[in-house]
Amino acid sequence: NGIKDISENGLQNWWIKISGNGNDSVLTDESGVYSFDSLLAGNYVVSAKLQEGWSQTFPSSPGTYLLTISSGTTFSGNDFGVFQSSSITGMKFFDGNANGAKDEGENGIANWKILLSGDKTDSLLTDANGNYTFGSLLAGNYTVSEVNQDGWQQTFPAFPGTYSVTLAIGENATEKDFGNFSDTLKLRTFNFSVELSKKAAKLKFSKDSVLKESPNLATAVEAVFAKIGKSGATFLGVPQTDAALAKQYAWIFYKKAMDLGKLFTSMHRGLAMPLDSLRTGTKTIKLSKAIKADRKKYDNVGIEQGVLFNLNLKASELGITPTGLGSLLLDTNVILAGRSLQDSSLAYIGKLFDSIMTYPQQFEITNSYEYVKLSIFADSILRHLNNAFAQTLADSNFRIDTNGVIVGKNSYALYLKGTRLTKEVGLLKRNVGKSSSTNFMAFGATDTPENFSLMQNYPNPFNPLTTIHYALPTIGVVTLKIYNVLGQEVATLLNNEELEEGLHEVQFDASRLSSGVYFYRLTVVQNSILSYTETKKMILLK
């Protein structure tokens, strides 16, 4: 306040300077007192050297004393008052995985308005790095908050989303950070279309770099199979590696995109029958092994929508469509085979539907009533999910990897751009505030492994999604963490979770990490004793 009050004491070891007819400097003593003796007559200026974090309050501008000294005179009361201000600092950051914490790689957001209220009212915008500072504050009580912006959701700090700060004199309150998540990710899906059964247009450029033929939807499916590789993939059901079990159970498997396309020559009208038998009129044929299903032989809405659903999950995982589809959560209370799917990820729903189609007896899907319920699920839920982000192919919503076509000799180097936000499609929501991983226990006859095991993640290298499989012969408390090459933990997918015996998988989203080598470690504890641990290497290649 520019006045020396009774309770305000002197400060030791502050430099006081005198200049004019002679120059000198002294340090204040333990009581804050200073003196200059044996001065010659003349004009002098007395000033105090400010220390960092302090402001001078007395004397007023220019903050110095101008003295004219004659022989034998003494001047007193030339005091200096200083004030040590307090501050509040923090950062506004983009919480990319919406987990309510600032993780490595999550950067600041510029030009976001931060508010201060309490013993002082103020506002400011964050700088280019997302940082803010309220300085020159008195001791007292303050509240720091942010101004919400449309399309953003605050994830940090927790409710009520503000900071209450009590500052002492000279105290600097730091790390008052705010995290926000914005659902700006647009996704893309394939829905039913006879265009899927057409011949794929190959991508070729003329000598003057003009595309000879525009791509079609079948081109995009070929792009998915190019990523899968010549070995092919299962598109519905659970594949069997045991020869004896392969004779008992069936799944749908394609090596070529054109074979998958034959399933979509016309819309399916038949009930969603499981893959245990082929039912045509009064005739029933036992099914087993890998099936290359087409529309002519298999009129089955469960196969139609189930294969499409797997195609969409694979396309997103492989990056042909925007990644992240499998981590979306179903935002409605749907029951499938006695299981509530509320808040279940699409990856989980896909695995559950696969298991039902291969192992209907274990899910008690064995009569016409259950087939009708399965059909309703396929026709309403799966069809809605497949339609959710679908869009007619247009020049504005696909990208051609020109270098991949010309140099890589890939005639199907096509990528589909996202067209809609999750909040625009209904029934779905982003996985906000939770881990992006999806824990899943596979169903079926091969559920109980004989030993603990941790499998190699697939795909590997990956960008940015990959799946980690592991097996538990008995119930255990499981932890699964990701580390960088320095041994620093960068993600926790499972943390001391008690899981049943069986085959499990977790999806890992590394979109916030940079390219490089990482390690994933699985530990299993039983009765407070470490039963199993193993570490494997994975490569993120963006």
Side-chain angles (χ1 to χ4, degrees):
N1 65 354
I3 300 172
K4 186 182 185 307
D5 299 309
I6 295 176
S7 61
E8 294 174 341
N9 301 317
L11 294 174
Q12 185 180 12
N13 292 328
W14 276 68
W15 284 106
I16 308 298
K17 180 181 179 181
I18 190 168
S19 59
N21 191 16
N23 299 311
D24 197 5
S25 296
V26 296
L27 285 172
T28 56
D29 64 17
E30 64 273 9
S31 299
V33 174
Y34 74 92
S35 65
F36 293 102
D37 299 320
S38 303
L39 298 176
L40 298 176
N43 297 319
Y44 293 89
V45 175
V46 184
S47 59
K49 182 180 180 182
L50 284 176
Q51 297 184 13
E52 185 176 357
W54 293 76
S55 302
Q56 185 170 320
T57 62
F58 184 79
S60 57
S61 179
T64 60
Y65 292 99
L66 178 60
L67 306 176
T68 299
I69 297 177
S70 58
S71 178
T73 59
T74 299
F75 287 87
S76 62
N78 298 290
D79 300 336
F80 293 92
V82 290
F83 166 74
Q84 187 178 26
S85 60
S86 302
S87 66
I88 300 174
T89 63
M91 170 185 272
K92 175 76 209 169
F93 68 91
F94 176 59
D95 189 3
N97 58 3
N99 68 346
K102 187 183 184 307
D103 300 312
E104 182 181 353
E106 293 180 337
N107 299 318
I109 305 174
N111 297 319
W112 196 290
K113 195 170 187 178
I114 309 296
L115 303 177
L116 179 72
S117 60
D119 288 346
K120 180 180 180 180
T121 300
D122 198 0
S123 66
L124 49 75
L125 297 176
T126 55
D127 66 16
N129 296 315
N131 297 314
Y132 73 89
T133 298
F134 291 105
S136 301
L137 299 179
L138 298 171
N141 298 313
Y142 299 90
T143 298
V144 187
S145 60
E146 65 169 21
V147 176
N148 292 325
Q149 295 188 18
D150 291 339
W152 291 80
Q153 180 176 345
Q154 185 175 339
T155 61
F156 184 78
F159 182 84
T162 60
Y163 291 101
S164 295
V165 182
T166 299
L167 292 176
I169 294 176
E171 181 180 2
N172 298 312
T174 61
E175 298 183 352
K176 304 305 177 185
D177 300 338
F178 294 92
N180 281 68
F181 167 77
S182 177
D183 185 4
T184 58
L185 176 64
K186 292 185 176 182
L187 297 171
R188 185 74 170 272
T189 50
F190 296 91
N191 62 351
F192 175 85
S193 172
V194 294
E195 293 298 315
L196 296 172
S197 66
K198 304 299 183 181
K199 183 179 179 180
K202 290 187 176 182
L203 303 175
K204 295 181 180 179
F205 289 93
S206 62
K207 291 182 179 180
D208 52 356
S209 300
V210 176
L211 189 65
K212 291 184 176 182
E213 184 180 4
S214 296
N216 55 16
L217 281 179
T219 308
V221 178
E222 288 281 6
V224 175
F225 275 80
K227 289 279 188 176
I228 291 172
K230 295 181 180 180
S231 59
T234 298
F235 279 83
L236 187 63
V238 181
Q240 306 296 313
T241 56
D242 182 274
L245 293 175
K247 294 179 181 179
Q248 299 180 42
Y249 300 101
W251 62 99
I252 292 178
F253 184 91
Y254 297 110
K255 282 189 174 182
K256 297 179 180 180
M258 65 178 66
D259 291 332
L260 182 145
K262 293 176 182 178
L263 189 65
F264 302 102
T265 54
S266 63
M267 187 170 287
H268 292 235
R269 306 294 181 184
L271 288 176
M273 302 287 187
L275 298 175
D276 56 345
S277 300
L278 176 61
R279 302 164 180 85
T280 56
T282 58
K283 189 176 182 181
T284 300
I285 302 172
K286 170 67 177 175
L287 295 177
S288 62
K289 300 182 180 180
I291 298 169
K292 190 167 61 176
D294 58 32
R295 173 63 177 83
K296 184 177 181 180
K297 190 174 182 179
Y298 296 86
D299 179 13
N300 183 319
V301 68
I303 292 178
E304 175 198 66
Q305 294 302 316
V307 169
L308 268 178
F309 194 57
N310 270 288
L311 173 63
N312 284 319
L313 292 174
K314 284 179 169 61
S316 179
E317 182 177 336
L318 296 171
I320 301 303
T321 57
T323 58
L325 182 68
S327 64
L328 296 184
L329 304 181
L330 192 65
D331 192 23
T332 186
N333 189 22
V334 174
I335 305 298
L336 178 61
R339 291 165 168 80
S340 173
L341 300 184
Q342 179 80 47
D343 290 334
S344 293
S345 72
L346 298 196
Y348 175 90
I349 293 171
K351 294 297 184 181
L352 176 59
F353 193 76
D354 284 340
S355 298
I356 290 172
M357 295 298 282
T358 293
Y359 309 117
Q361 293 82 9
Q362 297 186 34
F363 293 90
E364 299 181 352
I365 311 294
T366 56
N367 55 58
S368 57
Y369 176 69
E370 295 299 331
Y371 299 156
V372 170
K373 290 199 297 183
L374 192 62
S375 299
I376 292 173
F377 176 82
D379 200 42
S380 59
I381 301 302
L382 289 187
R383 189 183 298 278
H384 177 88
L385 299 177
N386 289 327
N387 290 342
F389 304 96
Q391 186 72 284
T392 303
L393 204 63
D395 291 345
S396 61
N397 59 37
F398 68 79
R399 176 178 66 84
I400 295 174
D401 179 6
T402 305
N403 187 66
V405 174
I406 298 174
V407 180
K409 306 298 182 182
N410 180 3
S411 300
Y412 307 108
L414 180 72
Y415 299 88
L416 302 186
K417 297 179 181 179
T419 56
R420 302 181 73 188
L421 299 171
T422 303
K423 62 184 179 182
E424 296 175 327
V425 303
L427 291 188
L428 293 171
K429 63 183 178 181
R430 290 295 301 274
N431 195 355
V432 177
K434 302 177 181 178
S435 169
S436 60
S437 63
T438 302
N439 181 48
F440 171 76
M441 186 181 78
F443 305 95
T446 59
D447 282 352
T448 307
E450 295 182 358
N451 301 298
F452 291 105
S453 63
L454 176 65
M455 294 73 151
Q456 185 64 49
N457 63 300
Y458 177 83
N460 189 47
F462 65 99
N463 176 29
L465 295 178
T466 191
T467 302
I468 300 170
H469 294 84
Y470 60 95
L472 306 178
T474 57
I475 295 175
V477 177
V478 178
T479 297
L480 181 59
K481 295 185 177 183
I482 311 295
Y483 300 88
N484 60 22
V485 292
L486 300 177
Q488 299 168 323
E489 180 184 325
V490 297
T492 298
L493 305 185
L494 298 169
N495 187 26
N496 293 325
E497 294 192 24
E498 185 173 80
L499 302 177
E500 298 178 1
E501 66 274 11
L503 301 173
H504 299 256
E505 72 174 33
V506 174
Q507 189 179 72
F508 174 47
D509 183 351
S511 55
R512 65 180 180 81
L513 299 178
S514 56
S515 295
V517 175
Y518 293 89
F519 299 89
Y520 57 102
R521 177 180 298 163
L522 178 74
T523 59
V524 184
V525 174
Q526 296 172 310
N527 298 321
S528 301
I529 299 174
L530 180 64
S531 299
Y532 175 79
T533 183
E534 187 169 354
T535 302
K536 288 186 178 292
K537 182 171 71 173
M538 59 170 60
I539 299 174
L540 175 59
L541 189 59
K542 293 186 175 181

